[in-house]
Amino acid sequence: MTALINQLSWEQICKKYSEMTGLGEDFYEWMLKQKDYSPSNYEKGLFADHYFYGHAYRIWKKITTTKQHHVTVVTGKVGKGKSTLGLQLAAMTSEHFTMENICYVPSHFFTRVAELTRGDCIIIDEGGRFFGSKMHMTKLARHLQEAFDIIIGM
């Protein structure tokens, strides 16, 4: 990716990624808008390859042009960038994503779910706190299921 940055403008990279993904002009136009969402910004370096941009575009298109929902689960070892990846994906796929939509505790999640509108993205960071191995037996688990049912019904 560094070679692309050194040789091509952002517009040229968008065109190249559009060709590589086969997603066409709509993807190209969408990707042009993603320049500001790079955590390191384009001038400092691309943060993702065409596969990631293609995946983010497909999610964005699904949630903005259909009545479907999308759930992405990011797993991995501690310190490997799961939260960063989730934040980046949320910023790229939800026009109105804010840091307020990052939930670390169930009470915050319930508050945010009640305020969501179509196309919004919510992140449950440190999901193990929400979905512990014994949680399926708790009242909290039933409330979380009800909240997910509300999201799906939106």
Side-chain angles (χ1 to χ4, degrees), residues 3-141:
L4 286 178
I5 294 166
N6 294 334
Q7 298 172 12
L8 304 173
S9 68
W10 178 251
E11 291 76 14
Q12 291 170 317
I13 290 173
C14 292
K15 192 65 156 173
K16 184 164 188 64
Y17 276 18
S18 179
E19 292 166 1
M20 293 169 79
T21 60
L23 293 172
E25 190 66 25
D26 286 346
F27 171 77
Y28 171 76
E29 294 295 327
W30 173 85
M31 192 170 165
L32 284 174
K33 298 174 188 173
Q34 303 311 309
K35 180 177 179 180
D36 294 333
Y37 295 127
S38 173
S40 56
N41 274 329
Y42 169 69
E43 288 76 20
K44 298 177 188 172
L46 277 174
F47 78 99
D49 63 12
H50 67 283
Y51 293 110
F52 184 79
Y53 278 104
H55 183 67
Y57 169 76
R58 287 180 187 97
I59 293 169
W60 171 82
K61 188 163 184 148
K62 176 182 173 183
I63 63 175
T64 58
T65 63
T66 71
K67 291 187 176 191
Q68 296 180 338
H69 301 279
H70 183 85
V71 175
T72 297
V73 177
V74 180
T75 64
K77 295 181 180 178
V78 174
K80 297 299 180 185
K82 297 177 301 296
S83 295
T84 301
L85 182 66
L87 287 169
Q88 196 58 45
L89 193 56
M92 293 170 75
T93 58
S94 178
E95 266 185 57
H96 308 290
F97 180 74
T98 68
M99 299 303 274
E100 198 54 32
N101 282 7
I102 303 170
C103 303
Y104 296 96
V105 295
S107 59
H108 186 211
F109 172 77
F110 292 126
T111 301
R112 296 308 299 152
V113 165
E115 299 169 355
L116 289 177
T117 60
R118 184 162 296 283
D120 284 348
C121 180
I122 194 163
I123 291 177
I124 298 173
D125 204 355
E126 299 301 332
R129 294 180 187 170
F130 281 78
F131 306 107
S133 62
K134 295 181 182 178
M135 190 182 152
H136 66 280
M137 298 181 274
T138 68
K139 187 175 180 179
L140 176 60

